[in-house]
Amino acid sequence: MQRSLPAAQGLYRPEFEHDACGVSFVVDMHGRRSHEIVARGVQALNNLEHRGASGAEKNTGDGAGVLIQLPDTFFRAVVGFDLPDEGSYATGMAFLPRDSAECATAENGIAKLIEDEGLSLLGWRDVPIDDSMIGSQAAAVEPTFKQLFVGGANGLDMERRSFILRKRIEHEVEGVYFPSFSSRTMVYKGMLTTPQLSQFFLDLQDERVDSCLALVHSRFSTNTFPSWPLAHPYRYIAHNGEINTVQGNRNWMRARESLLQSDDLPGDLSRIFPICTPGGSDSATFDEVLELLHLAGRPLPHAVLMMIPEAWQNHDTMPEDKRAFYEFHSTLMEPWDGPASVAFTDGTVIGAVLDRNGLRPSRYWVTKDGLVVMASEVGVLDIDPADVIQKGRLQPGRMFLVDTSQGRIIEDDEIKSALASEHPYGDWLHEHRVHLDDLPARDYLVPQHGSIVTQQRTFGYTTEELKILIGPMARTGAEPIGSMGTDTPIAVLSDRPRLLFDYFVQLFAQVTNPPLDAIREELVTSLGATLGPERNVLLPVPESCHQISLPFPILANDELAKLLYIHEGGVDGYQAFAV
């Protein structure tokens, strides 16, 4: 892909340019809906065109999209059938098969599931589009666009039941994808360049389409191929960066599904499994888990902080109640580590958060009339400096949040203090958390020198590893430095004994990111881990944190003996950890 950059001039240097996805949101702090907010969101998206990408075909983009509030007045004017009160129906933007017969089959399957879930089908609307400007590659896989209207509940119950319905449709009806299905928000997105979005979806040009917020995204597909469904925003987020721990996060969510129950989500939840759709991107997976945590009863900022906690383990000055909040939730869910900048909204609150390292910076502006703009960079909208009353940048681990129902920006300290005080997390941890040092000492066998070669063979250490890695570590007490590249065969294809953890190597996102240094970056890194049974992540109780806390993943023989024989001797409270 060719690039054309300006020549070096003044303080500008082309070698400092970086490519990445672009994310932005525009919101009226006081919740005043208008088409102007939608238009400004589209304008911000167009100004982030350089953060998206296209291949050899310039009119086929990696993806662009916008999330807005559900335009109730507009839909009442155009759908051609009666709608219940606002909030008592949900609208789904549907990507359906191109073939008319397959599309009809999909619609019939959807209608059966709507009835099965006790909801009512209000009608379908053909989404007006103009696809004359898109490239042949995008056109070849272009879906049929329709909007589905469903009633039968109201408020948050409508939101939850439409979530269940959408998950069932995507699992049980072939060739169907819903960018959004909500009583609160609507998404227009696709395999488009940023200028094409409003040209393609004609609704975005209609003055009757109004919203008090607009979340937009320009995609550079680093980890997955471009496609219509993988454009952002998703149902709750738009994401710039990578979730480098995503494979482990997915595996843990799959493992937790057998425990999932919720009084807020109706029926047997197994009908919506798997929660994480196979083949989805890291952003799509993050969105699916965030959606589940939120609709199962947590406020959206709470769910976000569970998944992207700030660095708390080595933060000596952090208030104890906030530390207890993070420590308790670390027993429920592991962090979804970036680098990541995630913008999120439920249609009422809208905000953004950076991961603990802050490697995907974003900036925000606030104007006199209550307009708030957040973006990956400065300049997505032309705003008179005289109108700006506040500006700043997102900080590592900090949350920026606008609540349109309260008409104000809620500061990071206020958000986290309120969440930390909801429950006595510190008391729960003191009563139920077990530290490795607190376990009673146990006898263990001291390894004999004559068994070293046998153990080397058993564990698969090679001469290279002994000379280049283990030897220098033993002599200097420091981590050896070597090349990041390796031509070692993957463990399952090797004919030699391999270390157990070689079979579980984490698959990182295919983007070059600097490795973390647990010594020099101790504030934002932690080697701690927990052992023990997990409970239902959707219904936390004090006993959820009844686990063993390990400061390091490497155990000495006496520490391993403590764990192996933890159930012996009648020590109260440790029977749950028996192995």
Side-chain angles (χ1 to χ4, degrees):
M1 185 171 59
Q2 293 182 343
R3 293 173 48 139
S4 178
L5 298 176
Q9 50 189 298
L11 297 178
Y12 174 80
R13 290 293 181 270
E15 62 269 22
F16 293 154
E17 288 282 359
H18 298 281
D19 284 328
C21 298
V23 62
S24 176
F25 65 72
V26 180
V27 56
D28 185 298
M29 188 192 310
H30 304 291
R32 296 168 295 198
R33 301 171 66 118
S34 68
H35 182 71
E36 182 183 5
I37 291 293
V38 178
R40 285 190 167 190
V42 171
Q43 181 184 354
L45 176 64
N46 290 340
N47 288 334
L48 289 170
E49 181 179 9
H50 61 285
R51 284 185 171 264
S54 60
E57 194 174 53
K58 292 184 178 181
N59 53 350
T60 293
D62 274 4
V66 59
L67 180 153
I68 59 175
Q69 290 178 309
L70 202 70
D72 177 69
T73 302
F74 169 72
F75 282 140
R76 293 183 186 280
V78 299
V79 296
F81 48 83
D82 292 335
L83 292 174
D85 293 340
E86 185 175 5
S88 298
Y89 69 92
T91 304
M93 171 67 82
F95 289 178
L96 300 171
R98 284 286 295 276
D99 181 80
S100 57
E102 293 179 1
C103 184
T105 300
E107 289 184 27
N108 290 334
I110 291 171
K112 292 178 181 178
L113 290 177
I114 292 173
E115 182 179 359
D116 191 39
E117 287 296 322
L119 297 171
S120 57
L121 174 59
L122 302 176
W124 290 89
R125 173 182 179 246
D126 293 326
V127 179
I129 63 169
D130 176 6
D131 58 4
S132 61
M133 82 294 296
I134 67 173
S136 59
Q137 291 179 326
V141 291
E142 180 185 353
T144 297
F145 304 91
K146 291 193 176 186
Q147 286 164 338
L148 171 64
F149 293 81
V150 173
N154 58 73
L156 196 53
D157 184 46
M158 184 76 251
E159 198 72 11
R160 288 167 171 153
R161 296 181 68 179
S162 59
F163 160 68
I164 296 287
L165 174 61
R166 192 200 82 233
K167 295 294 286 187
R168 289 196 63 188
I169 291 172
E170 292 180 348
H171 292 334
E172 300 177 36
V173 182
E174 188 175 356
V176 178
Y177 174 79
F178 281 90
S180 62
F181 199 158
S182 171
S183 61
R184 304 184 291 195
T185 58
M186 170 66 65
V187 170
Y188 292 87
K189 73 175 189 178
M191 193 173 164
L192 306 165
T193 64
T194 56
Q196 289 174 346
L197 182 69
S198 59
Q199 301 170 21
F200 186 91
F201 291 109
L202 301 181
D203 287 353
L204 296 176
Q205 303 176 27
D206 196 306
E207 294 286 338
R208 296 171 293 182
V209 174
D210 59 1
S211 177
C212 78
L213 57 84
L215 173 61
V216 299
H217 187 276
S218 174
R219 186 167 186 259
F220 191 113
S221 55
T222 49
N223 301 319
T224 54
F225 288 109
S227 72
W228 288 88
L230 292 182
H232 298 213
Y234 290 95
R235 292 101 192 182
Y236 284 87
I237 70 150
H239 167 216
N240 173 19
E242 302 85 40
I243 303 297
N244 272 325
T245 56
V246 67
Q247 190 60 49
N249 298 132
R250 288 170 177 155
N251 292 342
W252 274 115
M253 276 307 301
R254 186 63 173 159
R256 294 184 180 109
E257 286 177 353
S258 62
L259 300 174
L260 294 183
Q261 294 180 353
S262 173
D263 295 334
D264 293 312
L265 296 173
D268 183 0
L269 293 186
S270 64
R271 69 192 193 279
I272 66 171
F273 297 159
I275 296 299
C276 302
T277 303
S281 66
D282 54 350
S283 307
T285 300
F286 185 98
D287 181 81
E288 289 174 318
V289 176
L290 179 67
E291 179 180 41
L292 175 70
L293 295 176
H294 169 55
L295 293 180
R298 292 180 174 90
L300 191 57
H302 187 162
V304 170
L305 290 174
M306 275 188 65
M307 299 178 71
I308 308 182
E310 64 180 302
W312 58 272
Q313 291 93 335
N314 300 314
H315 195 323
D316 295 335
T317 60
M318 178 177 287
E320 286 303 317
D321 59 342
K322 189 193 294 189
R323 177 188 297 276
F325 170 84
Y326 286 125
E327 186 172 1
F328 175 82
H329 286 91
S330 71
T331 66
L332 300 176
M333 177 172 287
E334 70 292 337
W336 293 57
D337 276 334
S341 172
V342 177
F344 57 88
T345 183
D346 62 3
T348 300
V349 300
I350 188 167
V353 64
L354 285 185
D355 68 288
R356 64 181 65 197
N357 293 289
L359 298 178
R360 293 292 184 270
S362 299
R363 298 184 179 275
Y364 63 86
W365 304 261
V366 184
T367 68
K368 295 175 181 177
D369 59 356
L371 180 71
V372 181
V373 181
M374 193 287 299
S376 300
E377 59 194 59
V378 175
V380 294
L381 289 180
D382 291 327
I383 299 176
D384 187 345
D387 293 333
V388 176
I389 59 173
Q390 181 183 350
K391 57 184 176 180
R393 64 177 180 87
L394 298 187
Q395 300 179 46
R398 299 295 186 91
M399 180 175 288
F400 177 73
L401 187 69
V402 181
D403 188 333
T404 62
S405 65
Q406 298 185 37
R408 68 186 183 99
I409 296 172
I410 304 180
E411 298 296 332
D412 178 83
D413 287 342
E414 181 181 350
I415 298 167
K416 293 171 181 175
S417 295
L419 292 174
S421 62
E422 282 185 343
H423 298 289
Y425 294 114
D427 294 341
W428 292 357
L429 289 165
H430 179 73
E431 183 176 356
H432 298 287
R433 192 69 177 269
V434 179
H435 293 274
L436 183 61
D437 292 342
D438 297 334
L439 294 177
R442 303 295 187 188
D443 294 331
Y444 64 94
L445 294 176
V446 179
Q448 301 301 312
H449 181 77
S451 67
I452 290 179
V453 174
T454 301
Q455 293 188 44
Q456 288 174 346
R457 288 174 177 171
T458 301
F459 289 99
Y461 285 108
T462 65
T463 301
E464 180 183 22
E465 288 168 329
L466 290 174
K467 283 186 174 182
I468 299 177
L469 298 178
I470 299 177
M473 291 172 68
R475 285 193 301 270
T476 67
E479 182 179 2
I481 298 175
S483 170
M484 291 176 65
T486 177
D487 58 359
T488 306
I490 61 174
V492 294
L493 298 181
S494 176
D495 57 3
R496 292 174 174 267
R498 298 291 296 272
L499 295 170
L500 178 64
F501 53 72
D502 284 351
Y503 292 87
F504 300 94
V505 173
Q506 171 67 52
L507 297 178
F508 282 82
Q510 297 171 7
V511 178
T512 301
N513 291 307
L516 290 175
D517 186 327
I519 298 175
R520 295 170 185 84
E521 298 177 280
E522 62 177 351
L523 180 62
V524 294
T525 59
S526 171
L527 298 178
T530 58
L531 294 176
E534 290 193 11
R535 293 175 179 261
N536 180 8
V537 71
L538 303 184
L539 188 62
V541 293
E543 293 78 13
S544 295
C545 61
H546 189 49
Q547 296 178 359
I548 302 172
S549 177
L550 308 180
F552 301 101
I554 300 175
L555 299 177
N557 287 331
D558 58 335
E559 294 171 329
L560 181 59
K562 287 183 177 182
L563 297 177
L564 283 175
Y565 306 112
I566 191 172
H567 60 293
E568 295 184 1
V571 180
D572 184 45
Y574 298 153
Q575 288 80 5
F577 302 126
V579 294

